[in-house]
Amino acid sequence: MTFVNPVLNYAQLAPILIVLAGAVIGVLIEAFAPREARHSSQLFISTFALVAAFAALMTVRTQSSVDAAMGSVAFDGAAVLIQASILIISFLAIFLIADQENFTAMAAAVPGSEEERQSLQKDLRVTEVYPLTLFAVAGMLIFPIATDLITLFVALEILSLPLYLMAGLSRRRRLMSQESALKYFLLGAFSSAFFLFGVAYLYGYSGTITLIGIQESIVGGSGNDIFLLMGIAFLAVGLLFKVGAVPFHAWTPDVYQGAPTAITGFMAAATKIAAFGAILRIFYVGFANAEWQWKPALVAIAIITMVFGSVVAITQRDVKRMLAYSSIAHAGFLLAGVIALSKSGLDSSIFYLFAYGVATLGAFAVVTLVRDSAGEVTDLNRWSGLGKRSPLIASVFSLYLLTFAGIPLTSGFIGKFSIFSAAYESGSTAILITGVLASAIAAFFYIRVIVLMFFKDPVEDGTSVVIPSALTTIAIAVSATLTILLGVFPAPLLNFIETTAFFIR
Amino acid sequence: MVTSSSLIYLIALPLFGALTLLLAGRRADKWGHLLGTAMSASSFGVGLYQLSQMLSRPTEERAISQKLFTWIDVASFQVDAGLLLDQLSICFVLLITGVGTLIHIYSISYMSHDENRRRFFAYLNLFIAAMLLLVLGDSYLTLYVGWEGVGLASYLLIGFWNQKPAYATASKKAFVMNRVGDMGLSFAIMIAFATLGTVSFAGVKEASEGASETALTAIGIMLLVAAAGKSAQFPLQAWLGDAMAGPTPVSALIHAATMVTAGVYLIVRSNFIFDAAPTAQLIVVIVGAITLLFGAVIGTAKDDIKKALAASTMSQIGYMVLCAGLGPAGYAFAIMHLLTHGFFKAGMFLGAGSVMHGMNDSVDMRRYGGLRKFMPITFITFGLGYLAIIGVPPFAGFYSKDLIIETAFNAGGFKGILLGSITLLGAVITAFYMTRVMILTFTSPKRWEENQHPHESPFLMWFPMVVLSIGSVTSGLLFYRGDALANWLNPVFGDHGKDHHEEHLFEPIVVSAMALTAVAIGVGIAIMKYQLSEIEAVAPQNVSIFTRIARKDLLQDSFNESVFMRPGQALTRLLVKGDENVVDGAVRGIGRTALGAGATLRRSQSGFARSYAALILIGAVVLIAGIWVVTL
């Protein structure tokens, strides 16, 4: 066997390479830079890497090819849109991460130990979170453009492993944070095994690992159908786990609650975009012709996910858990776009992902601000009357809740409307009906929080809204503005997506 | 079409006045009325300038337009906010600003003792601006903005003295009944957009040529509903009498000369729709005929001088609507009667205001009498208006009403004879009730208390009356000679405006003779009944059932209350109950069910990683089984 010298299109791979380079530089800073200089230089490197990656992406935004990396990744309109969304969300997330109040002083210290006490006294910072974030972002950038199953798997692991670590970095309730990190890791490994198992079956079915090859085998119809359906099912388990679809959702509330809130926001927004980007490509490009096999099962999962997420969210007493269930419900709504299996399904999914990601990040950013002397207050009962003390922050949070609920004049309404229309056009009436009903149920608990904040008397227990740092303010302001803009003037972005989004085959 | 950038000043000047007076507040009390009058007069000046410009252009280039901005740009729905000044709208512009300015001048004196005079002038300016927008808009949507604007101004001015609950109620009544008409207009616009895809006059005109008659009939009927609401036509006429609660200049300007004629404008402006929808046209004629008699009959029974004039206005607009419904033959004559009516009715309202001014604001004609001696100028100007409205040659109303009667007879067949007879009967009743007003007020023996000191009004009040009476005398002949107005308006109605002198049921001279006979009969009865016999200072109660019904406005309010208001209230109560029990109940039910389900389902979240993993495994197995089952 001769070694073939790989031909790479560096321009198209530049965004990924820049982010990875930033991550490597971050590791070097951790190893060699003096402690005091680390935080500011890390912040600079990460924001710079993300901006540079975005700029690099923009220079190649009109190109499309399947051989940027020897056929392992595809570069097309959908890829540009999804990568751009991930970079924008990550950029805002870095601003939240920069507020280190929520992170432990030393991740390696055993909770409650002398070492932890000392590290807190010395006011140390876990600056390693920056390179971890960048590694995760790099994985997220590869995941939605990968066109063979091995690259997909590698990307999945690149994005997941840093997230497992980051989930355990919370300053308060560290045991719970570490428990959630371990849970996430165990279950993630478990689901990765399913994914890999699915890859094996699909290779057994088609003799290839590329999406195009699988597609051709399905069209040719020569393979063993049992292998195909086992492959699709196992692959789906791994992917649906990542987006938190029922019944693969169980990790979501625990991890969302345990992880530092800034990380939760990043995870909820960016991971969802990357994972749905990959799901869309796999099902639109690889499995489109096996539609009649997977569609009914996916419809069932979407319906269960929407209903389960909405119903269980009602009984939550913790704002982060409530947002976790809300994110489960949204995974169900987004599956409607996958099921649509049409151009409008793709367009509306991309719009929905961006709008949802922006709002989610903003919502978690607000959560970081509500604190008492011991740190963040996530118990919803203690949020009552917040609107009377901090009307602006409470109003902004209400805006995010309204957009999650899909109330008109917010981006969430446009997203829900377009994704349900796409599902309806493709004949999924059941999705439409359940989706609207689930939205009605969901509106109940979102609006209950608004009522709680504005129409209940404040409780006098030291809960207050801290003055946000400049960076957090920017993140909240940008996401709130985008949420309103996309709700009132959605046409430019919708039109842009409509003309740009496509999958190269 | 010629474009111009100066049309907007017509509207901008009075609008500026209104905003300044409203925003400046009490600071403007000293000079507010002067600014208001100046703004109205400047707008009139711009109107005269535009007329001179228009006259200097050849016929086909007389209409000019101005695009202001792109108003709505949503996918296929595009509306430009634009103005259109053609031969039809210039008539209205001059009527509105001309009569409007005179009434501003009159109000300076009439309202001089009112501490809110500045606010009054602000509203008057607001009205002028809105009314100009109504007649200058180049699309139904722009017209609609003006339409709502005059409705607002009318509401504010009827209720200007809203410290009296009855006046506040009157303004609310006018507003609510106008809303019914406004619904008609919005439906018309929606149907036009849905079926023709455009709402501009030019666009609808073009599209109406190939449109289905059903759609055009629907649009026409909805436009008629709108016109009926604004112009107090049957069955939406009940508000006009109560609208007399407003200060008298308001009654003269809004509820006699201009706003109430907006319905006629709307019908004439939409000539291309009605020409292609004969059914809608027929309904227009019927509505006009009914209102014509309805208003006239009410007019005979009113002892309140303003309400008698209001009933007369309703009846005269009935004439215009009837004539506009007769198609191309009638449009120009409807507008002609509208303009002459604008002069003489505004003049008479100002005269009534002058009488009230001299009689301690009393409006009861049975308490008047013999005022000829005390108010000579008012008597003469009112008398000229009187001669004009009953149609004595050569006063204005003779020409315009005569042409309407003639057109009605020429409608052809039984319809023509019926309509002609109705217009003649209307002329008889008009002559009767107007003579009655004259006798009761000016020529009969005095019936007022000794402590009354009737006197002539100051210069600022009688000057506008004199100007308007000149109009009442001369305008008819001016418009009639050589078909001046008809020829002027012809381009607006397209090619078919001139083909109406073919069949005559009667020679014009015969029609004139019949009309004059009708007037003589009406005047004669009134003289016998009132001038030559004793008039009681309190209205007699032992009168026939017909008189009593007429005094109660032909039971229009009782009808509205029992047919619309009470069932409406019942329906509202039912809906509230339904909302509480059914809608709220369902919402609460969903909430409770979801809450219960959530409480059950959350138990699956045990916190153990092993149970989660088991759940994933079970999920995967079920998924495979599901796909397998589907595949089989």
PDB file of all heavy atoms in Angstrom, chain B residues 149-171:
ATOM      1  N   GLY B 149     -59.420  60.073  10.440  1.00  0.00           N
ATOM      2  CA  GLY B 149     -59.026  61.342  11.040  1.00  0.00           C
ATOM      3  C   GLY B 149     -60.213  62.271  11.221  1.00  0.00           C
ATOM      4  O   GLY B 149     -60.392  62.878  12.286  1.00  0.00           O
ATOM      5  N   VAL B 150     -61.073  62.377  10.185  1.00  0.00           N
ATOM      6  CA  VAL B 150     -62.235  63.257  10.338  1.00  0.00           C
ATOM      7  C   VAL B 150     -63.191  62.673  11.369  1.00  0.00           C
ATOM      8  O   VAL B 150     -63.852  63.405  12.105  1.00  0.00           O
ATOM      9  CB  VAL B 150     -62.966  63.513   8.997  1.00  0.00           C
ATOM     10  CG1 VAL B 150     -62.088  64.302   8.062  1.00  0.00           C
ATOM     11  CG2 VAL B 150     -63.445  62.239   8.359  1.00  0.00           C
ATOM     12  N   GLY B 151     -63.245  61.335  11.444  1.00  0.00           N
ATOM     13  CA  GLY B 151     -64.095  60.712  12.466  1.00  0.00           C
ATOM     14  C   GLY B 151     -63.630  61.102  13.859  1.00  0.00           C
ATOM     15  O   GLY B 151     -64.436  61.448  14.720  1.00  0.00           O
ATOM     16  N   LEU B 152     -62.307  61.102  14.024  1.00  0.00           N
ATOM     17  CA  LEU B 152     -61.750  61.491  15.325  1.00  0.00           C
ATOM     18  C   LEU B 152     -62.063  62.956  15.629  1.00  0.00           C
ATOM     19  O   LEU B 152     -62.542  63.295  16.711  1.00  0.00           O
ATOM     20  CB  LEU B 152     -60.234  61.263  15.323  1.00  0.00           C
ATOM     21  CG  LEU B 152     -59.487  61.849  16.515  1.00  0.00           C
ATOM     22  CD1 LEU B 152     -59.825  61.082  17.777  1.00  0.00           C
ATOM     23  CD2 LEU B 152     -57.982  61.835  16.269  1.00  0.00           C
ATOM     24  N   ALA B 153     -61.807  63.822  14.639  1.00  0.00           N
ATOM     25  CA  ALA B 153     -62.049  65.252  14.854  1.00  0.00           C
ATOM     26  C   ALA B 153     -63.526  65.485  15.154  1.00  0.00           C
ATOM     27  O   ALA B 153     -63.876  66.265  16.050  1.00  0.00           O
ATOM     28  CB  ALA B 153     -61.617  66.048  13.624  1.00  0.00           C
ATOM     29  N   SER B 154     -64.396  64.796  14.421  1.00  0.00           N
ATOM     30  CA  SER B 154     -65.830  64.936  14.652  1.00  0.00           C
ATOM     31  C   SER B 154     -66.181  64.525  16.075  1.00  0.00           C
ATOM     32  O   SER B 154     -66.923  65.215  16.787  1.00  0.00           O
ATOM     33  CB  SER B 154     -66.573  64.080  13.628  1.00  0.00           C
ATOM     34  OG  SER B 154     -67.901  63.883  14.009  1.00  0.00           O
ATOM     35  N   TYR B 155     -65.611  63.402  16.509  1.00  0.00           N
ATOM     36  CA  TYR B 155     -65.869  62.906  17.869  1.00  0.00           C
ATOM     37  C   TYR B 155     -65.424  63.930  18.906  1.00  0.00           C
ATOM     38  O   TYR B 155     -66.149  64.254  19.844  1.00  0.00           O
ATOM     39  CB  TYR B 155     -65.122  61.584  18.054  1.00  0.00           C
ATOM     40  CG  TYR B 155     -65.026  61.104  19.479  1.00  0.00           C
ATOM     41  CD1 TYR B 155     -66.121  60.522  20.110  1.00  0.00           C
ATOM     42  CD2 TYR B 155     -63.840  61.221  20.189  1.00  0.00           C
ATOM     43  CE1 TYR B 155     -66.029  60.079  21.411  1.00  0.00           C
ATOM     44  CE2 TYR B 155     -63.746  60.783  21.490  1.00  0.00           C
ATOM     45  CZ  TYR B 155     -64.843  60.218  22.096  1.00  0.00           C
ATOM     46  OH  TYR B 155     -64.755  59.775  23.393  1.00  0.00           O
ATOM     47  N   LEU B 156     -64.215  64.481  18.705  1.00  0.00           N
ATOM     48  CA  LEU B 156     -63.686  65.432  19.679  1.00  0.00           C
ATOM     49  C   LEU B 156     -64.524  66.698  19.728  1.00  0.00           C
ATOM     50  O   LEU B 156     -64.719  67.296  20.783  1.00  0.00           O
ATOM     51  CB  LEU B 156     -62.242  65.783  19.324  1.00  0.00           C
ATOM     52  CG  LEU B 156     -61.216  64.660  19.491  1.00  0.00           C
ATOM     53  CD1 LEU B 156     -59.882  65.069  18.889  1.00  0.00           C
ATOM     54  CD2 LEU B 156     -61.044  64.332  20.963  1.00  0.00           C
ATOM     55  N   LEU B 157     -65.035  67.115  18.548  1.00  0.00           N
ATOM     56  CA  LEU B 157     -65.748  68.389  18.503  1.00  0.00           C
ATOM     57  C   LEU B 157     -67.203  68.256  18.940  1.00  0.00           C
ATOM     58  O   LEU B 157     -67.748  69.169  19.547  1.00  0.00           O
ATOM     59  CB  LEU B 157     -65.644  68.984  17.101  1.00  0.00           C
ATOM     60  CG  LEU B 157     -64.254  69.567  16.817  1.00  0.00           C
ATOM     61  CD1 LEU B 157     -64.038  69.824  15.344  1.00  0.00           C
ATOM     62  CD2 LEU B 157     -64.051  70.853  17.608  1.00  0.00           C
ATOM     63  N   ILE B 158     -67.839  67.118  18.623  1.00  0.00           N
ATOM     64  CA  ILE B 158     -69.210  66.929  19.125  1.00  0.00           C
ATOM     65  C   ILE B 158     -69.178  66.926  20.647  1.00  0.00           C
ATOM     66  O   ILE B 158     -70.034  67.498  21.314  1.00  0.00           O
ATOM     67  CB  ILE B 158     -69.813  65.610  18.607  1.00  0.00           C
ATOM     68  CG1 ILE B 158     -69.988  65.646  17.098  1.00  0.00           C
ATOM     69  CG2 ILE B 158     -71.173  65.355  19.260  1.00  0.00           C
ATOM     70  CD1 ILE B 158     -70.378  64.314  16.501  1.00  0.00           C
ATOM     71  N   GLY B 159     -68.166  66.283  21.190  1.00  0.00           N
ATOM     72  CA  GLY B 159     -68.067  66.208  22.641  1.00  0.00           C
ATOM     73  C   GLY B 159     -67.220  67.325  23.224  1.00  0.00           C
ATOM     74  O   GLY B 159     -66.665  67.176  24.305  1.00  0.00           O
ATOM     75  N   PHE B 160     -67.134  68.457  22.515  1.00  0.00           N
ATOM     76  CA  PHE B 160     -66.249  69.519  22.994  1.00  0.00           C
ATOM     77  C   PHE B 160     -66.671  70.007  24.363  1.00  0.00           C
ATOM     78  O   PHE B 160     -65.851  70.313  25.214  1.00  0.00           O
ATOM     79  CB  PHE B 160     -66.222  70.672  21.995  1.00  0.00           C
ATOM     80  CG  PHE B 160     -65.186  71.703  22.320  1.00  0.00           C
ATOM     81  CD1 PHE B 160     -63.846  71.426  22.117  1.00  0.00           C
ATOM     82  CD2 PHE B 160     -65.537  72.923  22.868  1.00  0.00           C
ATOM     83  CE1 PHE B 160     -62.880  72.352  22.441  1.00  0.00           C
ATOM     84  CE2 PHE B 160     -64.566  73.844  23.192  1.00  0.00           C
ATOM     85  CZ  PHE B 160     -63.242  73.571  22.978  1.00  0.00           C
ATOM     86  N   TRP B 161     -67.970  70.072  24.567  1.00  0.00           N
ATOM     87  CA  TRP B 161     -68.460  70.446  25.892  1.00  0.00           C
ATOM     88  C   TRP B 161     -68.845  69.179  26.638  1.00  0.00           C
ATOM     89  O   TRP B 161     -70.008  69.001  27.036  1.00  0.00           O
ATOM     90  CB  TRP B 161     -69.655  71.396  25.758  1.00  0.00           C
ATOM     91  CG  TRP B 161     -69.248  72.749  25.267  1.00  0.00           C
ATOM     92  CD1 TRP B 161     -68.172  73.467  25.657  1.00  0.00           C
ATOM     93  CD2 TRP B 161     -69.923  73.553  24.289  1.00  0.00           C
ATOM     94  NE1 TRP B 161     -68.123  74.672  25.001  1.00  0.00           N
ATOM     95  CE2 TRP B 161     -69.187  74.757  24.146  1.00  0.00           C
ATOM     96  CE3 TRP B 161     -71.076  73.385  23.514  1.00  0.00           C
ATOM     97  CZ2 TRP B 161     -69.559  75.767  23.281  1.00  0.00           C
ATOM     98  CZ3 TRP B 161     -71.451  74.402  22.652  1.00  0.00           C
ATOM     99  CH2 TRP B 161     -70.693  75.581  22.537  1.00  0.00           C
ATOM    100  N   ASN B 162     -67.894  68.297  26.807  1.00  0.00           N
ATOM    101  CA  ASN B 162     -68.250  66.981  27.342  1.00  0.00           C
ATOM    102  C   ASN B 162     -68.503  66.999  28.837  1.00  0.00           C
ATOM    103  O   ASN B 162     -68.728  65.952  29.438  1.00  0.00           O
ATOM    104  CB  ASN B 162     -67.176  65.939  26.982  1.00  0.00           C
ATOM    105  CG  ASN B 162     -65.807  66.352  27.465  1.00  0.00           C
ATOM    106  OD1 ASN B 162     -65.685  67.242  28.301  1.00  0.00           O
ATOM    107  ND2 ASN B 162     -64.782  65.718  26.939  1.00  0.00           N
ATOM    108  N   GLN B 163     -68.456  68.200  29.452  1.00  0.00           N
ATOM    109  CA  GLN B 163     -68.850  68.230  30.862  1.00  0.00           C
ATOM    110  C   GLN B 163     -70.327  67.903  30.998  1.00  0.00           C
ATOM    111  O   GLN B 163     -70.785  67.495  32.050  1.00  0.00           O
ATOM    112  CB  GLN B 163     -68.510  69.586  31.505  1.00  0.00           C
ATOM    113  CG  GLN B 163     -69.130  70.793  30.852  1.00  0.00           C
ATOM    114  CD  GLN B 163     -68.241  71.361  29.749  1.00  0.00           C
ATOM    115  OE1 GLN B 163     -67.497  70.635  29.097  1.00  0.00           O
ATOM    116  NE2 GLN B 163     -68.328  72.666  29.526  1.00  0.00           N
ATOM    117  N   LYS B 164     -71.109  68.088  29.906  1.00  0.00           N
ATOM    118  CA  LYS B 164     -72.511  67.669  29.931  1.00  0.00           C
ATOM    119  C   LYS B 164     -72.583  66.217  29.471  1.00  0.00           C
ATOM    120  O   LYS B 164     -72.213  65.912  28.337  1.00  0.00           O
ATOM    121  CB  LYS B 164     -73.339  68.542  28.979  1.00  0.00           C
ATOM    122  CG  LYS B 164     -73.482  69.961  29.468  1.00  0.00           C
ATOM    123  CD  LYS B 164     -74.538  70.684  28.651  1.00  0.00           C
ATOM    124  CE  LYS B 164     -74.526  72.164  29.017  1.00  0.00           C
ATOM    125  NZ  LYS B 164     -75.328  72.965  28.104  1.00  0.00           N
ATOM    126  N   PRO B 165     -73.065  65.320  30.331  1.00  0.00           N
ATOM    127  CA  PRO B 165     -73.080  63.899  29.979  1.00  0.00           C
ATOM    128  C   PRO B 165     -73.805  63.620  28.672  1.00  0.00           C
ATOM    129  O   PRO B 165     -73.387  62.769  27.895  1.00  0.00           O
ATOM    130  CB  PRO B 165     -73.812  63.256  31.159  1.00  0.00           C
ATOM    131  CG  PRO B 165     -73.627  64.201  32.292  1.00  0.00           C
ATOM    132  CD  PRO B 165     -73.564  65.568  31.702  1.00  0.00           C
ATOM    133  N   ALA B 166     -74.882  64.372  28.406  1.00  0.00           N
ATOM    134  CA  ALA B 166     -75.631  64.104  27.180  1.00  0.00           C
ATOM    135  C   ALA B 166     -74.774  64.370  25.949  1.00  0.00           C
ATOM    136  O   ALA B 166     -74.856  63.650  24.952  1.00  0.00           O
ATOM    137  CB  ALA B 166     -76.880  64.977  27.145  1.00  0.00           C
ATOM    138  N   TYR B 167     -73.927  65.417  26.026  1.00  0.00           N
ATOM    139  CA  TYR B 167     -73.076  65.732  24.880  1.00  0.00           C
ATOM    140  C   TYR B 167     -72.008  64.662  24.697  1.00  0.00           C
ATOM    141  O   TYR B 167     -71.669  64.276  23.578  1.00  0.00           O
ATOM    142  CB  TYR B 167     -72.422  67.102  25.070  1.00  0.00           C
ATOM    143  CG  TYR B 167     -73.378  68.272  24.979  1.00  0.00           C
ATOM    144  CD1 TYR B 167     -74.754  68.060  24.870  1.00  0.00           C
ATOM    145  CD2 TYR B 167     -72.922  69.573  24.984  1.00  0.00           C
ATOM    146  CE1 TYR B 167     -75.630  69.123  24.784  1.00  0.00           C
ATOM    147  CE2 TYR B 167     -73.794  70.656  24.895  1.00  0.00           C
ATOM    148  CZ  TYR B 167     -75.153  70.420  24.805  1.00  0.00           C
ATOM    149  OH  TYR B 167     -76.008  71.470  24.711  1.00  0.00           O
ATOM    150  N   ALA B 168     -71.464  64.210  25.838  1.00  0.00           N
ATOM    151  CA  ALA B 168     -70.455  63.147  25.763  1.00  0.00           C
ATOM    152  C   ALA B 168     -71.071  61.895  25.141  1.00  0.00           C
ATOM    153  O   ALA B 168     -70.459  61.232  24.299  1.00  0.00           O
ATOM    154  CB  ALA B 168     -69.911  62.838  27.151  1.00  0.00           C
ATOM    155  N   THR B 169     -72.303  61.594  25.545  1.00  0.00           N
ATOM    156  CA  THR B 169     -72.985  60.433  24.971  1.00  0.00           C
ATOM    157  C   THR B 169     -73.200  60.618  23.482  1.00  0.00           C
ATOM    158  O   THR B 169     -73.028  59.682  22.698  1.00  0.00           O
ATOM    159  CB  THR B 169     -74.344  60.231  25.664  1.00  0.00           C
ATOM    160  OG1 THR B 169     -74.141  60.287  27.061  1.00  0.00           O
ATOM    161  CG2 THR B 169     -74.961  58.914  25.276  1.00  0.00           C
ATOM    162  N   ALA B 170     -73.573  61.850  23.093  1.00  0.00           N
ATOM    163  CA  ALA B 170     -73.809  62.111  21.672  1.00  0.00           C
ATOM    164  C   ALA B 170     -72.546  61.858  20.863  1.00  0.00           C
ATOM    165  O   ALA B 170     -72.590  61.258  19.783  1.00  0.00           O
ATOM    166  CB  ALA B 170     -74.287  63.543  21.485  1.00  0.00           C
ATOM    167  N   SER B 171     -71.388  62.293  21.403  1.00  0.00           N
ATOM    168  CA  SER B 171     -70.154  62.093  20.641  1.00  0.00           C
ATOM    169  C   SER B 171     -69.826  60.616  20.548  1.00  0.00           C
ATOM    170  O   SER B 171     -69.358  60.124  19.524  1.00  0.00           O
ATOM    171  CB  SER B 171     -68.999  62.867  21.278  1.00  0.00           C
ATOM    172  OG  SER B 171     -68.712  62.374  22.558  1.00  0.00           O
TER     173      SER B 171
END
